[in-house]
Every structure is written in C-alpha cells, then in structure tokens.
Amino acid sequence: MSQTQNRRIVLAARPQGRPKPSDFRFEDAPIPEPGEGQLLLEVLFLSLDPYMRGRMSAAKSYAAPTEVGAVMEGGTVARVARSRHPDYREGDVVLSYSGWQRFALSDGRGLRKLDAGAAPPSTALGVLGMPGFTAYAGLLTIGQPKPGETVLVAAASGAVGSAVGQIARIKGARAVGVAGGPEKCAFVAGEFGFDACIDHRAPDFADQLAAACPGGIDVYFENVGGAVWDAVFPLLNTHARVPVCGLVAHYNDGGEPPAGPDRLPGLMREILTRSLTIRGFIQTEFAAQQPDFLREATDWVASGQLRYREDVVDGLDRAPEAFIGLLEGANFGKLVVRVADDA
C-alpha cells in the first residue's frame, strides 16, 4: 500500500435547502494504524443514497445526524489492507460502513465478508445490499402483492424502484413504473421488464398514469412524494397498500409545513373510506429477513430474473457533485463511487 494520507470528506455545514459544494470539506489525514483486534479497511466503492440528505440535517429523524466536521456516512465495499483481527486477513473484501473516505479502522463489528465469485462486489451496495433489501422487505411485508394486482413504483430506474417492480413481477403482479425522461422509461420497460413506465415530466403525466393503470393501483411503493403522489392517490383501489420508504422530492424542503390549504382532513377521509394502509418503514426493522433476502435475491440475479444497472462515478472527490445530482434525479441506476483505482 503506497498511500500515506487518508483522503476524506466531512460535513462542513448543514445545508439550507439544496446541498451546495461548500457544505462539504475535503481533508487529508495520516492513515491510521490498526491496534490489537482491529483492521484497516481500504474503501473500494462508496454508495451514495438519498437518505444521506437527512443525516446532513439536525432535524429529528430515525437516526442521529452527522455532526458538522465529521466524515459523511455511507455504505462501502472495502478491502482489508492490514489486519490484527483473528477473523480477517489482508485481501478480504467486506461490506462496511466506512463513510466518505479512502481508509477506515474497524473492530470487525458490522462487517460482512463478500464472495467476489458470487456477484460483483459493488452489488452489495445495490441490488444485493441495502437498496435491494429495502425493496424486498417493504414490498413483500407491507405491500404484499398478489398475482394479477397492479404495483406502481416511482423512481423506477433507481436501485430501490427497479428492484420493487421486478420482484412484483416475480410474484405475479403487474409492474408499472414512473421515471424521469423517455430514456429511463424505455430502459425500465425494456431491460427491467416492467409492464409500463410513465415519464413524470410529461405534461399529461396524470392521464398517462391512469391509462397505464386501468384497474387502479393495489400497491404503491412510495419513495418520491410531490406531484407523483398527487397523481397516484386518486387511483388507489380500496384496500390498497402504500409502503413509504422515502420522500426524495421533499428532502431539500425546510422544516416548515408547505403553504396552501390543509389537505390532511381530506387525506384522512380517503384513507378511512377506501380502507387504505399507508405505512412508513426503515429497512432495519426487517433485519431478520436478511438471510431470506440474500438467498432469494442472489438466485434471482443469477437467473436473470432480477437485473440491475449501476451509475459509477470515478474518484472520491466527485462524491459531493454526484450526491447533489442524485437528489435531482441526475443518476441512471444505483449511484456508486469507485474510490480505489484498482477496484
């Protein structure tokens, strides 16, 4: 290992609205030495995910915020560079949560060894990782799609959305996606095998969505909010289920409620009269399902039933720019940063 400095990206300031490059700071520090029972990890790939925007805020949430001056959090695939831990040796490749940096110390807790022969290591951050598990657990536990039902998912070209639709198809349901732009929609329908995909930027989006769901919507996997939700809500069938795993359209909003009339009474009336189930979730709630997910999803990927697309950005220094773009839908597939030159 020739490097002597650890390049890392820390939170410089809490964003006000849309994150800016100045909200991040680049630092170089000596590479730490592992103590007894520790190992030094060299990050190969860094996952960029929408949830990170919430960690940049001090607002109350399900997880503690990243402190100003601390390394940005994130899932990583890493290689053991040095080991003083009995369960790991140099060269092992692991799933870790080392954050936005080149090197990190670990005591071994929370690591999972990866078999590079079973699937490309970067898939542990996407289709065979947290995004894939989010799709699997949220759809099957809360959405519970039945054969012949219609499942709708927004951000359908992304890591979570693409898996939701394909798993719905595996379970015998119709899969309808929503994505931004004709290219993404064509890929979702063609490569991922959705029954239809609608461009939310189209001026007649609501009409196209209704035409694609002539029998209404039985499961809506919500990860966007905003105008997409407004078009979806009237189409929800009686007893429809809505797993809510994200609201990316609102992550840059301030803490104040939106201006305009109070729509909550009308929403609650519809939930009541249509017997709707709307349930938010965090994927860690379903951690006990991880072994089943890994077994089934690995088989689906191997058989071609579950496909994926990665959007790979080269170089840790490009992470802030790529992350800002992610929140605006600029990525096409699971966004991953290749941190190590030889990854």
Side-chain angles (χ1 to χ4, degrees):
M1 188 177 67
S2 59
Q3 297 97 327
T4 59
Q5 294 290 299
N6 179 27
R7 185 69 158 173
R8 61 193 186 191
I9 301 175
V10 305
L11 180 63
R14 300 212 180 276
Q16 302 300 315
R18 178 182 183 270
K20 306 181 298 297
S22 59
D23 295 326
F24 305 90
R25 184 172 68 246
F26 298 91
E27 295 182 348
D28 292 297
I31 296 174
E33 284 290 335
E36 189 65 32
Q38 293 184 318
L39 52 155
L40 176 67
L41 299 176
E42 179 183 10
V43 174
L44 304 177
F45 294 99
L46 165 68
S47 177
L48 297 181
D49 299 284
Y51 78 84
M52 296 172 177
R53 175 62 182 85
R55 302 291 173 85
M56 298 174 74
S57 169
K60 183 178 179 180
S61 185
Y62 62 89
T66 299
E67 296 297 328
V68 174
V71 174
M72 286 287 297
E73 298 179 31
T76 56
V77 168
R79 178 171 53 214
V80 177
R82 301 191 188 104
S83 179
R84 298 184 65 186
H85 192 291
D87 297 334
Y88 296 91
R89 61 184 180 182
E90 293 183 12
D92 284 346
V93 176
V94 299
L95 175 67
S96 67
Y97 292 88
S98 302
W100 296 27
Q101 56 185 338
R102 292 290 304 266
F103 296 91
L105 287 179
S106 171
D107 61 5
R109 287 182 293 182
L111 301 183
R112 176 164 65 86
K113 290 184 181 181
L114 301 176
D115 179 1
S122 59
T123 59
L125 301 175
V127 67
L128 297 178
M130 182 272 291
F133 181 62
T134 299
Y136 176 93
L139 178 65
L140 300 184
T141 306
I142 302 170
Q144 300 181 13
K146 301 175 181 61
E149 289 191 327
T150 293
V151 174
L152 178 75
V153 61
S157 66
V160 175
S162 61
V164 166
Q166 292 179 85
I167 295 171
R169 292 271 295 170
I170 290 170
K171 298 300 181 180
R174 288 185 72 241
V176 178
V178 174
E183 182 185 4
K184 289 184 178 180
C185 287
F187 193 89
V188 168
E191 183 66 18
F192 293 145
F194 281 48
D195 294 278
C197 188
I198 311 302
D199 182 359
H200 68 76
R201 298 172 183 166
D204 60 343
F205 165 65
D207 291 337
Q208 288 192 39
L209 183 63
C213 305
I217 297 167
D218 301 293
V219 180
Y220 174 49
F221 196 99
E222 173 65 289
N223 50 24
V224 172
V228 175
W229 167 256
D230 291 340
V232 168
F233 189 67
L235 303 177
L236 293 175
N237 288 331
T238 299
H239 301 298
R241 290 83 68 196
V242 183
V244 182
C245 87
L247 296 167
V248 70
H250 303 286
Y251 285 167
N252 289 332
D253 293 349
E256 296 300 317
D262 182 3
R263 297 196 292 176
L264 181 60
L267 172 66
M268 296 301 289
R269 182 174 57 250
E270 292 296 324
I271 292 173
L272 170 63
T273 58
R274 284 192 265 168
S275 299
L276 304 178
T277 297
I278 301 178
R279 185 203 191 285
F281 75 99
I282 308 301
Q283 51 89 20
T284 51
E285 298 173 38
F286 305 117
Q289 299 179 27
Q290 275 277 0
D292 291 339
F293 159 71
L294 285 172
R295 183 184 65 255
E296 291 194 274
T298 300
D299 289 345
W300 292 337
V301 170
S303 68
Q305 291 178 281
L306 181 57
R307 302 183 177 219
Y308 64 94
R309 174 175 174 138
E310 294 180 334
D311 190 340
V312 181
V313 173
D314 283 307
L316 181 63
D317 286 5
R318 295 182 62 194
E321 172 193 4
F323 176 69
I324 292 169
L326 169 71
L327 297 177
E328 299 174 349
N331 62 299
F332 192 169
K334 174 68 191 88
L335 186 57
V336 176
V337 177
R338 191 183 350 250
V339 177
D341 295 337
D342 61 344

